[in-house]
Structure formats: structure tokens, C-alpha cells
């Protein structure tokens, strides 16, 4: 996988990397010019990550996720819940941020270079579809939908 640095400040802040031996995702930082205040319940804001990635393998995609601590402690989550980076996309990765806190709560402050998101890499399975009148395999659940297996 190749990474292109689109914001040279990343060399000072630290290139995206796994922060521990068992980390599942790389951290993404806010490549912004000045401190950004995200008001509670305001529309989501796109923030540059400073990187673009060439996956080189169409069976891998990236999922942009919120950082757990920022989401739980401060209310900073992603405006699109999860960002999907398709393996054929080669542009800069953007992070959609949203302050889910109640109206009247203090805005969330994001500083340039702050870690605000994370990206995990996942395998992609692209099945071919066969149109049928009836499925060839039956399950015990069948067409039972919401709540059909209990509360």
C-alpha cells in the first residue's frame, strides 16, 4: 500500500501509524490551518487528513471511524457514522466530523495536527449474484425480521 502526503506538516506531527502493537487502525489527524470549533448539533464539517492512499489491491477498503475517547468523552463523532474509502479512490481522505452533544453544550475544539479519526483496513468480498425465484437453502429463521428471535 502506498501513502501520499498531501500536507507537509504531517512530517512534524507524525505520519499515520498504528499506535500500539495490537492497534487495529491508524490515527488520522486534522490538517487544518487554525483551531476549529464544532458547535453542538451544527452540520457536519469535512476536515482534511493530509494523506491519500493507493490501496493497490481492490480486495481491501478503508473504514474511517471516530476515535473512541473523543466520541465518548466529548461527543465528536463522524457526520456519516462510518466513512468508506473505496480501494479505487486515490484522492485525499477527508474526515466528516459532527458534534453530537446537546444544543447549548460548549463547542468541541479541534487543533491543527490533533488526532480526530482512525482508519481500519478491511477485506472486501464482491460476490456475483444469481437471480432466483426461491432460495436453494432454507434456514430455521426464514423471513423472520426485526424481533423475530426475541427482544
Amino acid at each position: 500500500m502506498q501513502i501520499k502526503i498531501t500536507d507537509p506538516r504531517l512530517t512534524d506531527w507524525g505520519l499515520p501509524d498504528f499506535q500500539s502493537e495490537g492497534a487495529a487502525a491508524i490515527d488520522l489527524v486534522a490538517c487544518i490551518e487554525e483551531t476549529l470549533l464544532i458547535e453542538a448539533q451544527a452540520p457536519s464539517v469535512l476536515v482534511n487528513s493530509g494523506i491519500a492512499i493507493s490501496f493497490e489491491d481492490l480486495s481491501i477498503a478503508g473504514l474511517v471511524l471516530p476515535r473512541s475517547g473523543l466520541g465518548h468523552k466529548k461527543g465528536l463523532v463522524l457526520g456519516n457514522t462510518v466513512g468508506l474509502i473505496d480501494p479505487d479512490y486515490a484522492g485525499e481522505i477527508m474526515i466528516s466530523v459532527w458534534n453530537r452533544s446537546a444544543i447549548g453544550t460548549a463547542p468541541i475544539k479541534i487543533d491543527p495536527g490533533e488526532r480526530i479519526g482512525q482508519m481500519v483496513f478491511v477485506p472486501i468480498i464482491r460476490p456475483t449474484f444469481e437471480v432466483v425465484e426461491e432460495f436453494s437453502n432454507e434456514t430455521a429463521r426464514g423471513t423472520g425480521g426485526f424481533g423475530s428471535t426475541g427482544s
Side-chain angles (χ1 to χ4, degrees):
M1 205 172 280
Q2 296 178 334
I3 186 170
K4 180 169 42 174
I5 306 304
T6 60
D7 189 318
R9 295 175 297 172
L10 280 178
T11 56
D12 295 329
W13 294 334
L15 297 176
D17 200 1
F18 298 93
Q19 297 298 309
S20 72
E21 182 180 336
I26 61 171
D27 284 335
L28 300 174
V29 303
C31 289
I32 52 181
E33 295 304 318
E34 57 189 28
T35 297
L36 179 63
L37 296 177
I38 308 293
E39 298 289 338
Q41 299 295 314
S44 57
V45 176
L46 279 177
V47 176
N48 297 58
S49 72
I51 63 167
I53 292 179
S54 174
F55 287 83
E56 299 178 7
D57 181 346
L58 297 181
S59 69
I60 299 172
L63 298 178
V64 178
L65 306 168
R67 291 192 66 229
S68 304
L70 289 176
H72 179 72
K73 295 174 186 171
K74 294 185 177 181
L76 185 69
V77 295
L78 298 187
N80 53 345
T81 64
V82 173
L84 172 62
I85 309 300
D86 291 313
D88 59 350
Y89 174 69
E92 182 174 8
I93 294 169
M94 303 295 285
I95 309 158
S96 175
V97 294
W98 181 60
N99 181 347
R100 68 171 173 79
S101 302
I103 292 176
T105 305
I108 296 172
K109 182 178 85 162
I110 299 175
D111 291 317
E114 184 176 349
R115 295 180 297 159
I116 61 166
Q118 57 184 334
M119 185 164 55
V120 64
F121 301 93
V122 296
I124 299 298
I125 298 170
R126 300 185 73 209
T128 56
F129 297 99
E130 173 188 0
V131 177
V132 298
E133 294 290 325
E134 296 291 329
F135 294 127
S136 56
N137 296 318
E138 291 186 27
T139 65
R141 182 175 181 179
T143 59
F146 295 101
S148 65
T149 61
S151 300

